[in-house]
C-alpha cells in the first residue's frame, strides 16, 4: 500500500477493494485520505462505494471524519471524568513508588556510609542502581571507587 501511495500522481485515483485496505483505524484512514486529497489524488473504495472525486463521496467521507472526531472527544471526556472521579476517591494513577519513606531514609543512610557497596544496598532494597540514584539524589560513585 505504501508503494501504491508513493506511486500515484496528481490527477490519479487510488482504488481499493475495501476501506480497511487503506488504513488500520478510522483516524488513520482519514489522515491518509487527507494526504491524498492534499496531493490532488482521488480515492475510491469499491465495496463501500465511496469516491472522493465526486461531491457525494466527499460528503460521505467528511461525515465519517466528523463522527470520528466526535468519538475521540467523547472518549477523552469519559477518560478525564473517570480520572477525576478516581482522584476524588483518593486513588492515584501511575506506577507505585519503589520505596517507602522509611526505606528511602535507610537507603540514604546506607549510601552515606561508604562501608556498604551500592550493589549491596540495591540488593537489600530490591531496587536498581538507577532507582537508588533517584532516591538519594546524589550521582552514584562508580563501584570501583566504593569499598
Amino acid at each position: 500500500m505504501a508503494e501504491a501511495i508513493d506511486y500515484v500522481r496528481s490527477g490519479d485515483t487510488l482504488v481499493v477493494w475495501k476501506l480497511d485496505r487503506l488504513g488500520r483505524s478510522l483516524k488513520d484512514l482519514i489522515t491518509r485520505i487527507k494526504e491524498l486529497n492534499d496531493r490532488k489524488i482521488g480515492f475510491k473504495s469499491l465495496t463501500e462505494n465511496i469516491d472522493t472525486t465526486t461531491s457525494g463521496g466527499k460528503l460521505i467521507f467528511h461525515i465519517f471524519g466528523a463522527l470520528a472526531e466526535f468519538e475521540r472527544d467523547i472518549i477523552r471526556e469519559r477518560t478525564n471524568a473517570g480520572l477525576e472521579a478516581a482522584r476524588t476517591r483518593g486513588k492515584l494513577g501511575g506506577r507505585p513508588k519503589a520505596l517507602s519513606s522509611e526505606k528511602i531514609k535507610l537507603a540514604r543512610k546506607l549510601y552515606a556510609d561508604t562501608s556498604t557497596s551500592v550493589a549491596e544496598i540495591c540488593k537489600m532494597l530490591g531496587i536498581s542502581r538507577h532507582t537508588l540514584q533517584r532516591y538519594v539524589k546524589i550521582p552514584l560513585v562508580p563501584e570501583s571507587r566504593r569499598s
Side-chain angles (χ1 to χ4, degrees), residues 84-144:
E84 187 61 35
R87 281 188 210 107
T88 59
R89 292 191 310 269
K91 303 288 183 185
L92 297 177
R95 185 179 177 132
K97 299 291 182 192
L99 298 177
S100 65
S101 58
E102 296 83 24
K103 285 190 176 184
I104 293 171
K105 289 176 189 172
L106 175 63
R108 289 180 177 159
K109 184 177 177 182
L110 289 170
Y111 188 82
D113 177 19
T114 57
S115 65
T116 309
S117 72
V118 171
E120 289 173 327
I121 297 170
C122 293
K123 188 173 182 179
M124 276 190 267
L125 298 174
I127 58 175
S128 69
R129 291 176 63 93
H130 185 260
T131 302
L132 177 64
Q133 181 181 5
R134 278 187 284 123
Y135 280 111
V136 297
K137 303 285 187 204
I138 302 169
L140 291 177
V141 178
E143 193 64 37
S144 60

Side-chain angles (χ1 to χ4, degrees), residues 1-21:
M1 182 55 69
E3 288 179 28
I5 290 173
D6 289 341
Y7 181 80
V8 290
R9 303 289 176 245
S10 180
D12 290 348
T13 300
L14 179 65
V15 180
V16 296
W17 175 248
K18 288 185 76 167
L19 279 176
D20 64 357
R21 299 290 133 207

